[in-house]
Amino acid sequence: MGFYSKVVIPFFYDFSMDSEQINEGRKRILNKIEEEKILEIGFGTGINLKFYPENVKHIIGIDANEGMLKQAEKKIQNNKIKVEVIHQSSEKLPFKDNSIDAALSTYTLCSIKNVESALKEIYRVLKPEGKYYFLEHGLADKPLVQKLQHIFNPVQNIWADGCNLNRNISSLISASGLKIVEMKNYYMKRDPKIVGYMYEGIAVKAI
């Protein structure tokens, strides 16, 4: 992982992904969390910390980018919630089967190289009936927008450090074995449609 990924991308992420427009979705999905302890996949620079509800007492944050986690340090220090961070890919989670109460990802599934493996890992570590909360951008519902997403995806993948525009998030989640029980799709206002088609919802580990 080079300078661009470790230094430039974390700075850009904090600058571009901590906006009022984007944070509306963060607030909605995090406010639905009922559990006291949660695993955050793609913890990043810790933007979500300020939106966790009071019932959350313990967060395990995992991220493959050590630059992101370094930039999160100050946010963690200024937060009352207990936060553990793990510098590791989510494609192989360091937890036992059926050991995690709940999981969360926001703007993360787009950039995990082997996203299928990561989702299967989430399924594996969740307790029976454990919840997976998600807020992700991905493949749009309009054919023309989809075509543009496919065209521009290679460029997006390079400059946004592995981010993909054209992943069908709901299909990927369902294929992992998780059951989507709540979801809404929408285009984020003021964002270009190729980057602003959202998947926001909850899936459970149904047994």
Side-chain angles (χ1 to χ4, degrees), residues 44-155:
T45 63
I47 293 174
N48 285 333
L49 280 174
K50 58 188 174 184
F51 301 120
Y52 274 99
E54 292 184 358
N55 56 281
V56 175
K57 307 299 183 185
H58 187 179
I59 300 166
I60 303 172
I62 189 164
D63 204 291
N65 188 326
E66 60 183 315
M68 291 278 201
L69 294 178
K70 183 173 179 60
Q71 194 150 317
E73 289 176 358
K74 187 174 182 180
K75 298 185 185 76
I76 293 171
Q77 292 171 3
N78 294 334
N79 196 277
K80 295 180 180 179
I81 302 173
K82 178 183 178 182
V83 180
E84 297 177 60
V85 293
I86 301 173
H87 175 216
Q88 185 173 323
S89 168
S90 54
E91 296 164 0
K92 187 64 177 177
L93 297 173
F95 309 107
K96 295 180 180 179
D97 296 358
N98 307 310
S99 62
I100 299 295
D101 296 324
L104 164 78
S105 73
T106 62
Y107 296 94
T108 297
L109 298 186
C110 60
S111 57
I112 298 175
K113 187 173 182 179
N114 192 335
V115 66
E116 292 88 355
S117 292
L119 284 164
K120 287 179 180 178
E121 280 290 275
I122 292 172
Y123 178 89
R124 178 184 67 79
V125 302
L126 277 177
K127 294 178 180 178
E129 303 301 328
K131 292 181 180 177
Y132 168 50
Y133 302 86
F134 58 92
L135 174 68
E136 302 286 349
H137 75 96
L139 187 68
D141 62 344
K142 300 183 185 305
L144 178 57
V145 179
Q146 290 179 359
K147 184 176 181 179
L148 291 172
Q149 287 178 315
H150 295 317
I151 290 172
F152 287 103
N153 195 64
V155 177

